[in-house]
Amino acid sequence: MQPIVILSPAEPSAEQLADLERFGALHVVCGSPLQRADLARVRIHTAGSAIVLANREEWLNANADTSTRLSLTGADTTAAATADAPALLSVLNIEALTFGNADFFLSVEFIHRENMQFVGDTETLKINEVYGQAFLHPSFMSGRVYAPVMLDTLVCQAYYNEHLLRILQQLIFSHGSVTHALGLAKLRAAGIAVDDGSESDEEEAGESSAHVYLVEVPRRFVGRSYASLFSLACFEHRAVAIGLYRVVVHHHQPLWYVTPNPAPECLLREDDRVYLLANSRPELS
């Protein structure tokens, strides 16, 4: 497993350390991404990826107005501009130190989705819907930025659709591993009853269970339709194709993005990858 480094100005609690130790090769370094010296100390220039998290709790505590605290999408433009300032400064520092690493992937959490426009390209698709506008920036479509409001929406929807939580568990923690155990622990701590996925349940499920895999599109399917690849996966590999992961050149830079449920006539490209639901990793050929 590739080493994981956490750069934080505060020491994690004993409970947090117990959870983090499950990941194995993990190191906690006292420092701040707002300081380039600290980023250089953890050798950010050699990293394959980085995640910048927003301190939502600190922002909430700093607001005395209860109505403002309860709404993460309020119209207070001053609060919106300042709440994500540390994350934006961290992004600038990290981008400056990883400029020569073409394979480096940076993902950023913003308290306010309106601030997504400040990361990556500022162009966006125009629609007559304020809520969805922020999610049409190239930075969001490529998975480089996200906002807590997305999770809030999923939690609300799970209240009305009891099967949604199970689907999310399967997609996010599809391969079990340590992240599955941590996810279940957090859900139980929040008072949510979840299935622990015991061995007997897995044996009972048998062929009905599935995992998510990202597989390269076979060369012989380049230039052919997505429907033909879907048929191959379904009838020859007992797998279901759910989307494509593809790249475009955007302002002379590669931009990866996810296309869920493409049109059947969508033509496949040489560098496309396909997301598959299957019992075991399919070897498409």
Side-chain angles (χ1 to χ4, degrees):
M1 178 185 290
Q2 187 174 359
I4 301 172
V5 178
I6 295 179
L7 182 63
S8 172
E11 291 287 341
S13 65
E15 181 181 356
Q16 290 172 333
L17 279 175
D19 284 341
L20 293 173
E21 287 174 356
R22 304 185 193 185
F23 286 95
L26 187 141
H27 310 275
V28 180
V29 178
C30 186
S32 171
L34 299 177
Q35 302 295 329
R36 292 193 181 183
D38 289 340
L39 288 170
R41 188 157 51 92
V42 298
R43 299 177 60 81
I44 187 68
H45 61 283
T46 64
S49 61
I51 301 174
V52 177
L53 299 177
N55 193 339
R56 180 161 57 158
E57 183 177 354
E58 180 179 326
W59 175 77
L60 290 174
N61 293 336
N63 287 272
D65 183 9
T66 304
S67 62
T68 304
R69 291 205 308 269
L70 294 178
S71 175
L72 296 179
T73 58
D76 188 341
T77 55
T78 302
T82 58
D84 291 316
L88 286 169
L89 290 174
S90 299
V91 169
L92 292 175
N93 286 338
I94 293 173
E95 288 181 341
L97 295 175
T98 59
F99 180 77
N101 188 350
D103 297 325
F104 181 79
F105 186 87
L106 177 63
S107 184
V108 190
E109 178 188 30
F110 285 128
I111 295 173
H112 294 278
R113 62 180 182 272
E114 293 82 2
N115 291 325
M116 292 178 181
Q117 62 182 308
F118 299 115
V119 174
D121 203 298
T122 57
E123 286 187 7
T124 182
L125 302 176
K126 299 297 183 183
I127 60 173
N128 295 323
E129 207 280 308
V130 177
Y131 180 84
Q133 188 68 63
F135 299 133
L136 295 178
H137 288 282
S139 55
F140 177 82
M141 298 171 69
S142 61
R144 294 185 179 274
V145 296
Y146 61 97
V149 68
M150 299 165 55
L151 180 59
D152 297 340
T153 302
L154 289 174
V155 171
C156 293
Q157 290 297 323
Y159 176 81
Y160 297 100
N161 185 349
E162 60 182 9
H163 303 294
L164 182 59
L165 188 60
R166 181 64 176 170
I167 294 173
L168 292 175
Q169 289 178 10
Q170 194 67 20
L171 289 175
I172 301 174
F173 307 116
S174 63
H175 298 274
S177 73
V178 65
T179 52
H180 191 184
L182 284 174
L184 293 177
K186 297 301 182 185
L187 290 172
R188 292 194 189 97
I192 302 175
V194 293
D195 182 9
D196 61 0
S198 60
E199 292 183 6
S200 59
D201 291 338
E202 291 178 0
E203 291 176 3
E204 228 175 74
E207 305 246 346
S208 64
S209 62
H211 306 295
V212 181
Y213 297 94
L214 183 61
V215 180
E216 292 184 358
V217 170
R219 286 188 175 274
R220 68 187 181 97
F221 279 87
V222 175
R224 297 173 62 179
S225 68
Y226 177 76
S228 63
L229 181 65
F230 185 94
S231 298
L232 172 76
C234 185
F235 295 110
E236 295 189 20
H237 298 275
R238 304 184 69 179
V240 178
I242 58 177
L244 293 174
Y245 186 55
R246 54 179 21 180
V247 63
V248 294
V249 177
H250 188 71
H251 288 194
H252 308 290
Q253 294 291 332
L255 178 70
W256 289 92
Y257 65 98
V258 176
T259 304
N261 191 27
E265 62 273 13
C266 175
L267 297 182
L268 300 172
R269 304 171 184 170
E270 184 177 2
D271 46 16
D272 278 348
R273 300 177 186 179
V274 57
Y275 287 100
L276 298 173
L277 280 175
N279 297 108
S280 57
R281 183 178 182 85
E283 296 297 333
L284 302 182
S285 59

